Amino acid sequence: MSTASTGHPSPAATSGSPLPRTRSGPSASAGRRVRFGVVGAGFIATWFARAVAAEPAAEIVAVASARPERAAAFAAEHGVPHAHPTLEAMLAEHGPDRAAPIDVIYIGSPNSLHAAQAIAALEAGYGVLVEKPFTLTPAQARAMAATAERTGGFLMEAWQTAFEPGVAAIRAALPRLGEPRRATFVREQFSSRMSAYRAGDLPPAFDPALGGGSLMDLGIYPVSLAIHLFGPPDRVTATAQLLDSGVDSHGTVTLSYDTGERVGLEVACLHSKTSANALGSQISGESSAILLDHCQWPEHISLITAPGSPEESREDLSVTRSGEVMGPLLAEVCRLVSAGARGSELHPVSASVAAIEVLSEARAQIGVHFPDDDADA
């Protein structure tokens, strides 16, 4: 597999030219809050609502959930004035000419719904912020990107890591490594749903019909970080252990860079919903390395020169995280939408598409099949 030929730029190599401005649909004018509609009422939507409550530039106008009682409870808990049983109802009620308009639809629904809901919202003239993973298949990801391009709508994946202060510190330190030769990015966390699965239930986290599995839930973090820092790879090699449900419990994806400015680089992306990680992650050059404690929310970061030698030295690049988990992401989305941008230069749609291409190739190699794959065949 070669994704490098698609020409997606690494954020470190972007020119800094402004993104095209929104051509149509609602956009937030300077000086007023960005108005969000939330799809889903689970824990990730709660994280988003808490970030909105702490962000003066944002407000939630409406929530939609397939379980109306959950939408009503979410609305009551977070002071949201409107609750709807479907996305369609929300789109119909909150256009720019209605009493309570919405600028951006935040999609926090199961993975298998991302593409259809994002495209529906874009077609209706709304901007879209969609949770990771962007979607399940490359065809769906490209369709989302094409719809945003055609409609002129704002589209962005809610991959929080790109906007973390720790990742900014890593981006700044990366040139000091010289040529990166190897990186190991680890995202492991024992799933709170594993006990239910072992008891005979099928939680969404392990349901192939909903796009579950470790690769899609956790593997996306190291894969996306690699693409964010180094660009798309030329080759993908994947191994994994599968559950009886048909999705993976843990595995490894190796990204190989055979051409271009990163030639010779290999990135090992380790992911697991059945183990813990106490070692962190690492980016290695020929005579120095960057250590980070977490590849999703890096905070403790060190630049080590001449490791293992008498001349070894360590520079602390650590940052302090504060506020709500989704705070930095939300602040950037509000800034972009208020400026009339159609997406993010730091985490462009092209990077989200490239990550889905990598994950799809990895799934094909380990034998994880989703129903949505058949529609793309």
Side-chain angles (χ1 to χ4, degrees):
M1 172 186 176
S2 176
T3 56
S5 61
T6 59
H8 303 307
S10 166
T14 54
S15 65
S17 58
L19 287 166
R21 295 175 68 85
T22 302
R23 295 192 297 268
S24 63
S27 61
S29 59
R32 73 158 174 81
R33 290 183 288 183
V34 178
R35 301 163 300 197
F36 288 91
V38 174
V39 180
F43 82 91
I44 194 68
T46 296
W47 282 9
F48 184 76
R50 290 173 179 168
V52 169
E55 174 53 65
E59 65 177 315
I60 299 176
V61 172
V63 60
S65 174
R67 299 179 181 178
E69 69 280 3
R70 295 189 68 179
F74 183 94
E77 179 180 358
H78 299 288
V80 177
H82 302 277
H84 301 284
T86 65
L87 169 64
E88 292 74 19
M90 184 160 67
L91 298 179
E93 290 296 323
H94 297 281
D97 58 341
R98 305 306 291 262
I102 286 172
D103 302 306
V104 178
I105 303 295
Y106 167 71
I107 297 174
S109 55
N111 300 344
S112 57
L113 301 177
H114 287 185
Q117 291 180 339
I119 289 172
L122 288 165
E123 293 282 10
Y126 295 86
V128 171
L129 176 65
V130 59
E131 258 306 324
K132 64 83 191 167
F134 195 55
T135 186
L136 295 185
T137 72
Q140 291 173 342
R142 295 179 197 122
M144 290 164 62
T147 303
E149 180 66 25
R150 176 171 51 79
T151 61
F154 176 88
L155 176 62
M156 182 176 150
E157 180 186 25
W159 181 58
Q160 306 160 26
T161 307
F163 309 98
E164 284 289 312
V167 174
I170 293 167
R171 287 194 302 266
L174 197 58
R176 299 171 63 184
L177 287 183
E179 292 297 326
R181 295 304 185 193
R182 181 181 293 275
T184 303
F185 294 147
V186 185
R187 185 66 178 93
E188 297 181 324
Q189 180 177 325
F190 186 81
S191 174
S192 62
R193 306 297 184 185
M194 183 58 72
S195 295
Y197 176 79
R198 289 172 175 170
D201 293 338
L202 185 57
F206 301 114
D207 187 348
L210 298 179
S214 176
L215 181 65
M216 299 303 291
D217 186 35
L218 298 181
I220 187 171
Y221 287 107
V223 166
S224 291
L225 183 58
I227 292 170
H228 180 73
L229 295 175
F230 309 122
D234 294 285
R235 286 184 293 121
V236 176
T237 307
T239 60
Q241 296 296 313
L242 302 188
L243 299 169
D244 291 341
S245 68
V247 302
D248 56 308
S249 61
H250 59 286
T252 302
V253 181
T254 302
L255 310 182
S256 301
Y257 293 76
D258 303 322
T259 61
E261 62 179 284
R262 299 303 186 189
V263 63
L265 172 66
E266 283 196 342
V267 183
C269 301
L270 283 65
H271 60 91
S272 175
K273 295 179 78 70
T274 57
S275 57
N277 172 36
L279 296 178
S281 299
Q282 174 174 295
I283 307 169
S284 300
E286 293 183 352
S287 59
S288 56
I290 297 173
L291 302 184
L292 51 147
D293 60 337
H294 205 291
C295 78
Q296 182 177 355
W297 300 301
E299 189 169 5
H300 300 291
I301 306 161
S302 298
L303 174 64
I304 305 177
T305 303
S309 75
E311 292 78 30
E312 178 180 312
S313 64
R314 293 181 176 241
E315 181 178 348
D316 187 10
L317 305 177
S318 298
V319 301
T320 300
R321 298 179 72 249
S322 61
E324 295 296 330
V325 171
M326 299 183 73
L329 166 73
L330 178 64
E332 180 64 4
V333 170
C334 290
R335 184 190 71 81
L336 291 167
V337 173
S338 296
R342 291 171 47 207
S344 168
E345 288 183 322
L346 192 58
H347 184 52
V349 167
S350 59
S352 300
V353 174
I356 296 303
E357 291 173 344
V358 168
L359 295 176
S360 180
E361 173 63 22
R363 284 197 299 109
Q365 291 184 20
I366 65 177
V368 172
H369 181 85
F370 297 151
D372 286 28
D373 296 325
D374 298 328
D376 293 344

